[in-house]
Amino acid sequence: QGKFTLLRDTRTDGSFLVHHFLSFYLRAGCKVCFVALLQSFSHYNIVAQKLGVSLAAAKERGQLVFLEGLKSCLDLLFGEEEQSGQPSPLQFLSTSDLHALFDFVRLSLTATEGDAWKGPVLLVDDLSVLLSLGAAPVAVLDFIHYCRVCVCCQLQGNVVVLVHSNEDSEDEENELVVNSLCHHSDLILWAEGLATGFCKDVHGQIKIIKRLSLRQAAEQDLVQIYQYKIQDRNVTFFARGLSAAVL
């Protein structure tokens, strides 16, 4: 509890980590606020069903609060939500801050009478989309800071955020956000594509960085590196050099 986990991907798609955490926390009985900016609800629901979880059922029982970013953007741009009188969490498209999005997260995860969930979880897929939609890097970092204070510190929950990164990219704003988040993360799961190119038996490597230095300045971060292969219903991890392609 109270941890901030950063999911980072470079030259590959790290969305399998998002699906893992979503199904993991729902099975654990946690209250989940999922800010889905990349895909539709039906996409996440289909993948979750393969993992043995029904997002539709989780929404009905109040365990999952789902923000479908693609639909919300269209509704806001075409004025449909303004006509209904309901403020959009994505008001930053017409303003300069993310207050409305933070209020949506805070209200979604604040416990009410009768709630029996084990702990609140904020899941964001993915944060880079906010920059693409016009949000300033400082506003994005402020949003994550306030979410960490609210969810991790006050509510003793967890925050899991996915960001895309490319060290050779000319997108300085995105790299600024990624590097800043790395400094504040308790755990970093960094999925990277293979430098040698495509391989049917190895889809990439994942670097697990446990930020021990964040808690104690004298400690060094613990880094573990594995390779992985994504299958239909799960992911296989193995040490480097021990894949089927080598053995």
Side-chain angles (χ1 to χ4, degrees):
Q1 292 182 337
K3 301 295 184 182
F4 175 59
T5 302
L6 179 66
L7 311 179
R8 180 178 179 180
D9 61 15
T10 304
R11 302 188 308 275
T12 190
D13 184 8
S15 60
F16 69 95
L17 294 169
V18 174
H19 298 301
H20 160 73
F21 278 101
L22 178 60
S23 60
F24 170 77
Y25 282 121
L26 289 177
R27 280 197 298 264
C30 298
K31 178 70 175 288
V32 179
C33 176
F34 188 14
V35 180
L37 303 171
L38 200 60
Q39 301 286 352
S40 64
F41 176 80
S42 59
H43 169 82
Y44 294 105
N45 192 36
I46 290 172
V47 178
Q49 286 177 343
K50 292 184 178 181
L51 301 177
V53 176
S54 173
L55 299 190
K59 282 183 65 177
E60 290 180 3
R61 61 177 178 263
Q63 183 184 8
L64 173 65
V65 180
F66 190 93
L67 173 61
E68 192 167 357
L70 296 175
K71 182 177 183 300
S72 297
C73 286
L74 292 176
D75 291 343
L76 183 63
L77 292 174
F78 290 104
E80 294 183 15
E81 291 204 6
E82 293 181 2
Q83 295 176 3
S84 63
Q86 297 178 354
S88 170
L90 303 183
Q91 286 290 341
F92 70 89
L93 291 173
S94 56
T95 60
S96 58
D97 57 61
L98 297 172
H99 284 171
L101 185 58
F102 169 71
D103 288 338
F104 171 81
V105 172
R106 179 177 55 82
L107 294 175
S108 299
L109 295 178
T110 301
T112 58
E113 292 186 13
D115 277 353
W117 311 118
K118 292 183 179 179
V121 175
L122 170 63
L123 185 60
V124 181
D125 181 25
D126 71 81
L127 201 66
S128 304
V129 175
L130 293 178
L131 295 172
S132 301
L133 291 174
V138 174
V140 173
L141 292 174
D142 285 346
F143 166 70
I144 293 298
H145 172 72
Y146 282 108
C147 287
R148 287 179 58 217
V149 172
C150 176
V151 180
C152 296
C153 298
Q154 297 177 354
L155 302 178
Q156 285 299 296
N158 296 303
V159 176
V160 181
V161 173
L162 173 69
V163 290
H164 295 299
S165 71
N166 188 349
E167 295 172 337
D168 299 328
S169 172
E170 296 182 358
D171 191 347
E172 296 180 358
E173 292 186 346
N174 186 75
E175 294 308 303
L176 171 64
V177 171
V178 172
N179 292 330
S180 298
L181 293 179
C182 286
H183 287 297
H184 296 93
S185 304
D186 296 285
L187 175 66
I188 302 173
L189 302 180
W190 188 353
E192 299 176 281
L194 296 176
T196 54
F198 174 77
C199 176
K200 67 176 183 178
D201 293 308
V202 184
H203 291 158
Q205 76 172 17
I206 184 167
K207 186 182 297 183
I208 304 172
I209 306 174
K210 297 181 180 179
R211 298 291 316 288
L212 302 180
S213 61
L214 192 64
R215 302 298 178 183
Q216 297 179 344
E219 293 289 336
Q220 288 188 341
D221 295 341
L222 179 61
V223 180
Q224 297 172 296
I225 299 178
Y226 298 94
Q227 292 181 334
Y228 64 87
K229 178 181 180 181
I230 301 176
Q231 298 168 330
D232 189 39
R233 296 179 183 272
N234 58 14
V235 181
T236 303
F237 295 91
F238 39 83
R240 287 182 292 182
L242 296 181
S243 68
V246 177
L247 300 179

